Amino acid sequence: MAEILTVDKACVYFSIYRGFPKKLVGQIKAVDNINLSIEKEETYGIVGESGSGKTTLAKAIMGINPLDHGSIYYRHEELNELRKRDKKFIYRKIQYIYQDPSSSLDPRKSVKDILMEPIKVHNLYPKEERLRVIGEILGAVDLPPSDFMSRYLANLSGGQKQRIAIARALLLHPDFLILDEPTSALDVSVQAKILELLDSLKKRLNLTYLVITHDLSVISNVTNRISIFYLGHTMEKGKTYDIFREPLHPYTKLLLSSIPIIAESEKKFKPSGVPTIEGEIPSFVNLPKGCRFSTRCPYVFDKCQSLEPEMKEVKGGHYVACHLY
Ligand code: SF4
């Protein structure tokens, strides 16, 4: 399949200033040398604890966080080098659905006004057709237009708000959606329904998804391939099934061993004999030398504390950055 998005050695750094007058005292390498490529119509997952760099990378794809090094390509066009007009078009094709729809949608507006806004900004559809289009898009996310068009966001449930956020993105005819923790703000009973809706829209509209989450059950259910992030670095990447069946990196093993098992069928994915994950994620300001996971890794040895491991392909399409391989 053709690649739709390629991230090539991407780095996003933030400078730290202190004192008066302000003095540069350090740098946070929030995304550090990330490579990944996403194929058309697949669902790619980025997994990691909070502060692992996954949202920072997503915002770099959206052009919100500028890259310090590296490049991001959408359909082989380097996003940074596009002219303003082309960028506006591309960022209709790539849409970002934020973690908490309450913070990204204006609660003082009606559903109709929320959905009308992107149509007006991008001057889409003839004026007399706009209400019909909004009605159709509400129907596509299973919200009856006659009931929801005039409602206000404050009167909607979490799941309904998430459907409005999805509808708003779809109005622009995207082909690539970034879903940032798509279910974390929702009740468990609603999570499955939103994932089902996303799956049916993906098939119907030939969409490609990048799913960012710390929730391993979402990842195991919806993604084809994943990258495991830790402190701005990729620790392991490959097909979701391969990584869940035979995780290679000690961090991945610890993450998988920490999932509570609900279904008997999930037991096959839970590595046995692995210690539980201990300790706090270190600060970006004071990164460990060598391997970034060395302060929490139960298998650490001398080399790990002096040399950063490189990413190696261990099996077909299954990569790991660890000195044990
Ligand atoms: Fe653990 Fe060393 Fe592998 Fe890092 S390189 S994950 S410290 S064994």
Side-chain angles (χ1 to χ4, degrees):
M1 269 206 209
E3 278 173 13
I4 188 164
L5 188 107
T6 308
V7 175
D8 181 28
K9 303 188 188 87
C11 300
V12 179
Y13 301 157
F14 299 111
S15 300
I16 312 168
Y17 296 92
R18 291 230 172 91
F20 184 81
K22 279 185 184 169
K23 219 172 125 191
L24 182 68
V25 292
Q27 204 172 38
I28 291 175
K29 296 186 171 180
V31 165
D32 198 13
N33 202 19
I34 294 288
N35 294 299
L36 58 90
S37 68
I38 301 177
E39 291 174 359
K40 204 170 170 303
E41 292 172 36
E42 81 169 326
T43 299
Y44 198 98
I46 298 181
V47 193
E49 292 168 279
S50 122
S52 59
K54 41 193 202 311
T55 297
T56 306
L57 177 67
K59 288 187 175 170
I61 295 170
M62 293 307 295
I64 301 166
N65 289 333
L67 290 182
D68 287 86
H69 303 285
S71 309
I72 298 175
Y73 301 86
Y74 176 75
R75 295 184 181 274
H76 306 289
E77 302 254 30
E78 186 171 355
L79 291 176
N80 238 348
E81 293 189 350
L82 291 174
R83 287 172 304 166
K84 210 173 167 189
R85 200 187 53 192
D86 297 333
K87 250 187 193 167
K88 195 174 173 193
F89 176 74
I90 295 265
Y91 283 118
R92 263 176 56 194
K93 293 288 166 192
I94 308 176
Q95 287 291 306
Y96 193 130
I97 298 186
Y98 286 85
Q99 178 169 356
D100 179 5
S102 304
S103 61
S104 60
L105 302 174
D106 189 342
R108 295 161 304 173
K109 287 189 173 167
S110 67
V111 167
K112 184 190 86 182
D113 289 342
I114 286 170
L115 298 178
M116 190 62 85
E117 196 182 319
I119 293 180
K120 284 184 179 164
V121 168
H122 292 273
N123 197 20
L124 300 173
Y125 314 107
K127 278 188 182 148
E128 62 280 11
E129 284 188 24
R130 288 176 174 173
L131 272 185
R132 180 187 57 75
V133 171
I134 289 175
E136 279 177 10
I137 212 78
L138 282 171
V141 296
D142 300 333
L143 296 176
S146 54
D147 190 7
F148 283 87
M149 194 84 94
S150 54
R151 286 227 222 158
Y152 283 79
L153 208 68
N155 301 324
L156 302 184
S157 68
Q160 289 164 344
K161 285 179 197 163
Q162 188 65 303
R163 286 172 195 267
I164 298 295
I166 295 167
R168 193 174 187 276
L170 293 180
L171 277 170
L172 300 177
H173 298 296
D175 47 22
F176 187 92
L177 291 189
I178 300 178
L179 304 163
D180 192 348
E181 301 283 3
T183 56
S184 69
L186 306 175
D187 291 343
V188 178
S189 58
V190 184
Q191 291 180 0
K193 289 187 184 141
I194 292 293
L195 292 177
E196 266 169 40
L197 171 70
L198 287 167
D199 186 49
S200 87
L201 290 170
K202 179 175 182 290
K203 288 176 184 146
R204 208 159 8 128
L205 304 172
N206 303 324
L207 298 168
T208 306
Y209 290 159
L210 172 60
V211 178
I212 294 168
T213 184
H214 67 282
D215 186 334
L216 289 163
S217 60
V218 169
I219 283 292
S220 71
N221 282 318
V222 304
T223 61
N224 307 105
R225 291 187 299 146
I226 51 174
S227 288
I228 310 283
F229 274 24
Y230 185 78
L231 282 174
H233 243 27
T234 310
M235 299 281 121
E236 183 164 0
K237 63 180 179 179
K239 288 187 188 142
T240 310
Y241 182 81
D242 291 345
I243 292 181
F244 273 68
R245 190 179 46 115
E246 194 184 346
L248 300 175
H249 198 282
Y251 177 58
T252 317
K253 290 181 187 177
L254 290 165
L255 271 184
L256 290 184
S257 70
S258 67
I259 325 176
I261 293 179
I262 297 163
E264 202 52 28
S265 59
E266 285 177 14
K267 278 191 179 169
K268 64 180 183 288
F269 288 135
K270 185 142 172 154
S272 55
V274 180
T276 50
I277 196 157
E278 302 269 339
E280 292 293 311
I281 192 164
S283 156
F284 270 109
V285 183
N286 202 6
L287 285 176
K289 274 203 182 122
C291 172
R292 289 169 194 223
F293 191 55
S294 58
T295 53
R296 297 169 90 190
C297 180
Y299 309 103
V300 60
F301 57 104
D302 289 352
K303 188 178 173 186
C304 307
Q305 287 163 332
S306 56
L307 188 67
E308 184 151 36
E310 286 184 8
M311 185 65 85
K312 284 182 212 134
E313 185 172 11
V314 174
K315 289 179 188 166
H318 191 162
Y319 295 82
V320 65
C322 172
H323 291 310
L324 294 172
Y325 299 91

